[in-house]
Amino acid sequence: MPFTPGGTTDILAREIAAKLQVAFGQSCIVENRPGGGGTLGCEMVARADPDGLTMLMGHIGTLAINPLVYPHHGYDPVKGWTPLAYVANVPNGAGGQRVCAGESVQELVALAKSKPGALGLRHRRHGKRLASRVGLFRLRHRTEFLHVPYKGTAPFVSDLLAGQLQMGFTGRAGGHAARQAGRLRALAVSSAQRSEAFLPSCRPSPSSGVPGFEADQWYGITGPAGIDPAIANMLNAEINKALASADVKARLEKEGGAAVIAPPEALGRHIAAEIDRWRPVVKGREHPAGIGATASC
């Protein structure tokens, strides 16, 4: 787990690990290795023995964005992995402080344009070019924020509540209790479809979305390159069983997401496609290929 505990990635990793521990009758340990926007944990797994005993709980950032932001990571971002399971798709939410981030994404953008570089916006990595949701949001609206890197969701939410930061993107689990208590405001989800689980009270309208913005969060489990196909298929079958179980499905529904039951090669194809999809954003282009939907409230 290449991030700190408490975020959606960590939650999914622990749910699946508990199922694998029962299935195989041996310990399945979730080891948090945060650092470098997830690159430290990725490098650890990529260099491990390909025996099927070491796996990475990755997502769009670690598996598709980081290889574009950090070109010297020591492994091939596509061929350097053995894909094991495409876990889930989960929409992210754009949210901010209750008192100062505006009542809508449009108000937030207007506020950011009126105070260039003054509003703190959370992201997960250092670097000259920001990728994924933050980079696309900035490019699409020609807005400038004070970019603040975090190693995980928990410290980001703490700073948001403390007033050290004004807004950021995270899964539904991040700041859920604070949103229920009215201390944080959810503004929109990053998917093309509205999420009732994430934003149940938001009314759909032609003006509620953000044109040209779509950035679902997806999760997948990989291992080092060279794992025997029989072992990979066995792990895939057990992970898919875990994803199909009632409690894991319920947990994903709480996150506003859905499990993806698929063979290992589906994840491999998706990683390669997402790297190509996000390359223009990392390079700072206005219209990345394949991105033209609307983030919805």
Side-chain angles (χ1 to χ4, degrees):
M1 232 303 295
F3 298 106
T4 55
T8 303
T9 317
D10 185 70
I11 291 170
L12 290 177
R14 294 180 187 280
E15 291 282 347
I16 293 172
K19 297 292 185 182
L20 295 182
Q21 182 162 303
V22 173
F24 294 119
Q26 64 185 62
S27 297
C28 186
I29 300 169
V30 177
E31 183 177 351
N32 296 91
R33 283 289 188 99
T39 58
L40 293 184
C42 286
E43 289 178 4
M44 171 193 166
V45 176
R47 296 172 181 173
D49 292 334
D51 50 16
L53 298 179
T54 304
M55 297 175 281
L56 173 76
M57 185 69 200
H59 59 33
I60 181 177
T62 52
L63 295 174
I65 304 299
N66 281 0
L68 299 170
V69 179
Y70 306 114
H72 306 294
H73 40 65
Y75 58 90
D76 188 298
V78 176
K79 298 179 181 180
W81 299 114
T82 297
L84 298 174
Y86 190 147
V87 173
N89 288 320
V90 179
N92 271 265
Q97 292 176 337
R98 187 74 191 176
V99 296
C100 68
E103 295 287 344
S104 68
V105 175
Q106 287 76 17
E107 289 187 18
L108 175 65
V109 170
L111 183 60
K113 288 183 175 180
S114 69
K115 301 178 180 180
L119 299 186
L121 173 65
R122 175 254 191 154
H123 69 92
R124 279 183 173 169
R125 55 194 60 81
H126 295 280
K128 294 182 179 179
R129 298 190 183 276
L130 297 176
S132 193
R133 297 160 297 276
V134 173
L136 181 57
F137 191 89
R138 177 179 61 83
L139 286 171
R140 191 66 185 87
H141 293 285
R142 300 293 184 185
T143 51
E144 290 298 332
F145 296 88
L146 175 64
H147 299 287
V148 186
Y150 285 87
K151 292 182 178 181
T153 298
F156 146 66
V157 172
S158 295
D159 275 2
L160 198 60
L161 291 171
Q164 302 300 315
L165 192 71
Q166 282 67 53
M167 67 91 66
F169 291 87
T170 187
R172 184 171 182 261
H176 179 59
R179 287 195 300 273
Q180 286 187 319
R183 299 177 65 193
L184 294 179
R185 176 183 290 114
L187 300 177
V189 290
S190 63
S191 59
Q193 292 77 37
R194 198 163 74 101
S195 172
E196 295 296 331
F198 212 134
L199 297 169
S201 62
C202 190
R203 298 175 182 176
S205 69
S207 62
S208 66
V210 180
F213 186 92
E214 179 185 355
D216 277 345
Q217 181 86 343
W218 53 265
Y219 298 85
I221 295 178
T222 63
I227 294 178
D228 186 282
I231 295 177
N233 287 330
M234 177 183 65
L235 289 169
N236 174 264
E238 292 299 335
I239 293 169
N240 284 342
K241 286 180 184 178
L243 295 172
S245 65
D247 49 344
V248 174
K249 287 174 67 176
R251 183 71 211 202
L252 275 168
E253 288 174 0
K254 288 182 179 180
E255 300 291 319
V260 179
I261 309 297
E265 54 268 22
L267 176 62
R269 291 192 298 267
H270 190 66
I271 292 173
E274 285 287 271
I275 289 174
D276 288 340
R277 180 177 186 251
W278 288 100
R279 184 174 285 107
V281 180
V282 176
K283 291 182 178 180
R285 297 172 186 167
E286 176 68 21
H287 299 292
I291 303 173
T294 301
S296 304
C297 291

